[in-house]
Amino acid sequence: MGGSRMKQIFFIPRLYLPREGFEKWSSLAGDRFAYSKEYYKACLREAGDAPSTLRFVRSENFSDGESEFVQEVREEMYTAMECEKTEKLLRGAMLTERRTETGARRGIVACIDLEAYTVKRGEESAVRPVQEADTACAERLARLRERLPLEFSHAVVLYKDPKNKVLSKLAKENLEELYDFKLSGGGGRLRGWFLPAFLAEDVLDGLPRRGDPSFIAADGVTWLAGAKLHWEKVKESLSSKECLRHPARFALVELENLCDDAVKIEPVSRLVYDTDNEAFCDFICRSAPCERKGTALYCKWKTDSENIAAADELIREYLCANGGNLSYVCGERETLEAVRETEGAALLFAPVKKEEVFAHAKDGKLFPKKSFALGGEADARYYTEGREVNYD
């Protein structure tokens, strides 16, 4: 597991990847395009009979009940693991490069130690979320994790390396490229190089550890909360020795440099549909200063945790009294497209400043759930690498 510092935060896994067919294998995070059932149905049609992570991480929209859903996903995972179209790599990490409209984003896919991850205020931890998790969803994900053999993660953990010293060293290495393909759904292009364990240890141990916390979970915080809940339950029945390397103790993430110009912090809009748009817009505008463009409301409040929480409370109050559906959309362009598709209305926020993200986490504060994301809808991390979570 490498040096003493790395042991406290990271773990180097054995990753699962397909041998070919990455275009159909790799799929977008399941909470994106939640307002559009047709999006995922189209993706399933495109994947056909080929192995695809989309079948492993489908939302409940595609199941008749949780028990039936879990059993179906279990069978699909085991089928993929046992067929000749996938392979389990040697222990190591992945260096990734994601090219989108914002530029080339680079990251390291490895595991964090959930013992170094906490959401409780007042507790010191190396890795901390900066947004609240969806508690009900996290509990469901923990139950899923108990029964599934593999994990696929869209979680992104940020660090600060202003001069990009860590990843620039890898330019001198002769790395094996394992994939280079175009992502579906307008996600750009993804390349990946294998980092053998000895090199992965050096890279992870070299990541900057200044400040408290040293790392923050920005995307996938609900998924990580589910993994944490599961681990807390599992470790109750383990000895101290068994706890050291039990696979449930670790969670797969991609580590990205917040200082990278291609890493963009995008606000998450609130999309409301299947309701009276005029009534919704009038209700919000009476309580919050907004610039209205059709049924798109641009909130003039400063984008901080208190104001986003206040806006969320207004929306809850309206929906409770009037009915309707709520969804979350990343990026202005995507929000306006969603407004047209659903014939709904939306509340949009100004971006959160990059320099405020770590400062916010240092104070032990949490933004409300889905306050911001890294890029627009299709910029979220695609499910590509997998890992055994019940045995390793």
Side-chain angles (χ1 to χ4, degrees):
M1 291 176 64
S4 59
R5 289 189 301 164
M6 197 196 73
K7 288 182 182 179
Q8 300 173 9
I9 305 175
F10 301 114
F11 177 77
I12 299 173
R14 294 188 65 182
L15 298 171
Y16 263 95
L17 281 174
R19 297 180 187 275
E20 57 185 15
F22 279 89
E23 292 83 356
K24 293 185 177 182
W25 168 268
S26 188
S27 66
L28 190 59
D31 60 344
R32 304 304 169 112
F33 298 101
Y35 57 88
S36 177
K37 293 182 181 180
E38 290 303 315
Y39 176 86
Y40 284 100
K41 289 180 180 178
C43 290
L44 282 170
R45 288 194 297 269
E46 183 179 342
D49 296 331
S52 176
T53 58
L54 185 62
R55 296 190 179 88
F56 306 153
V57 295
R58 292 171 299 169
S59 71
E60 285 188 289
N61 291 337
F62 298 101
S63 67
D64 296 323
E66 187 171 285
S67 179
E68 179 183 343
F69 171 69
V70 175
Q71 184 59 33
E72 186 178 337
V73 173
R74 273 174 58 86
E75 292 174 359
E76 289 169 342
M77 283 188 174
Y78 278 115
T79 296
M81 291 166 67
E82 293 164 4
C83 76
E84 296 180 354
K85 295 181 180 180
T86 63
E87 62 179 329
K88 184 179 179 180
L89 306 180
L90 297 175
R91 200 169 296 278
M94 290 292 296
L95 169 66
T96 67
E97 181 184 86
R98 172 85 174 274
R99 289 192 173 273
T100 67
E101 293 178 353
T102 64
R105 239 164 68 190
R106 306 187 89 196
I108 302 292
V109 178
C111 288
I112 61 166
D113 185 343
L114 291 169
E115 286 292 306
Y117 182 77
T118 183
V119 300
K120 295 179 181 179
R121 291 189 181 184
E123 289 187 358
E124 292 186 3
S125 57
V127 192
R128 188 178 300 155
V130 72
Q131 304 187 77
E132 294 174 349
D134 183 323
T135 303
C137 185
E139 291 173 351
R140 174 183 168 273
L141 290 170
R143 293 195 299 272
L144 287 174
R145 199 173 174 88
E146 288 178 8
R147 296 185 57 192
L148 300 181
L150 298 175
E151 67 170 351
F152 290 87
S153 167
H154 68 281
V156 177
V157 171
L158 299 173
Y159 63 92
K160 292 191 295 183
D161 184 6
K163 296 184 179 180
N164 198 31
K165 293 181 179 179
V166 176
L167 294 189
S168 62
K169 294 179 181 178
L170 292 176
K172 302 175 183 178
E173 302 290 340
N174 183 23
L175 302 177
E176 178 186 6
E177 184 177 84
L178 296 187
Y179 55 74
D180 179 3
F181 65 100
K182 184 179 179 181
L183 293 163
S184 62
R189 193 165 193 90
L190 184 63
R191 300 177 71 188
W193 297 265
F194 182 67
L195 299 179
F198 74 91
L199 186 54
E201 289 175 2
D202 289 341
V203 170
L204 294 171
D205 203 36
L207 292 176
R209 286 165 166 74
R210 295 182 298 273
D212 176 29
S214 303
F215 307 90
I216 58 171
D219 269 3
V221 293
T222 296
W223 183 87
L224 283 170
K228 179 75 172 181
L229 285 173
H230 177 236
W231 167 238
E232 292 296 329
K233 182 178 179 180
V234 168
K235 74 177 183 180
E236 291 176 357
S237 60
L238 301 178
S239 67
S240 298
K241 184 177 181 180
E242 289 172 326
C243 281
L244 292 176
R245 289 180 63 88
H246 193 283
R249 174 172 174 161
F250 309 100
L252 196 62
V253 304
E254 180 163 358
L255 295 139
E256 295 184 3
N257 183 7
L258 178 65
C259 302
D260 188 333
D261 289 339
V263 174
K264 304 293 184 183
I265 304 293
E266 290 283 355
V268 176
S269 305
R270 276 54 177 153
L271 172 69
V272 175
Y273 52 102
D274 293 339
T275 191
D276 185 328
N277 291 337
E278 286 301 318
F280 172 76
C281 292
D282 289 344
F283 178 83
I284 296 297
C285 289
R286 284 200 303 269
S287 302
C290 296
E291 178 185 357
R292 181 173 176 178
K293 297 181 180 180
T295 57
L297 307 178
Y298 291 78
C299 186
K300 295 301 181 182
W301 279 338
K302 179 184 176 182
T303 307
D304 57 27
S305 56
E306 290 80 9
N307 285 334
I308 295 176
D312 283 344
E313 183 57 37
L314 286 174
I315 294 173
R316 279 192 293 269
E317 184 180 341
Y318 171 84
L319 292 175
C320 184
N322 300 276
N325 291 310
L326 171 65
S327 193
Y328 301 88
V329 187
C330 307
E332 180 182 8
R333 180 184 63 192
E334 293 88 344
T335 298
L336 297 180
E337 290 176 356
V339 166
R340 288 191 292 270
E341 181 176 340
T342 61
E343 297 182 348
L347 182 62
L348 298 88
F349 302 98
V352 176
K353 295 180 180 179
K354 270 190 176 185
E355 57 268 23
E356 294 179 358
V357 175
F358 264 89
H360 200 86
K362 182 177 181 180
D363 293 335
K365 297 178 182 178
L366 293 173
F367 280 93
K369 68 178 183 180
K370 296 187 182 295
S371 291
F372 61 84
L374 302 181
E377 291 289 88
D379 294 324
R381 187 170 194 278
Y382 278 58
Y383 298 109
T384 304
E385 294 85 4
R387 167 185 167 265
E388 289 176 309
V389 70
N390 285 321
Y391 45 87
D392 198 25

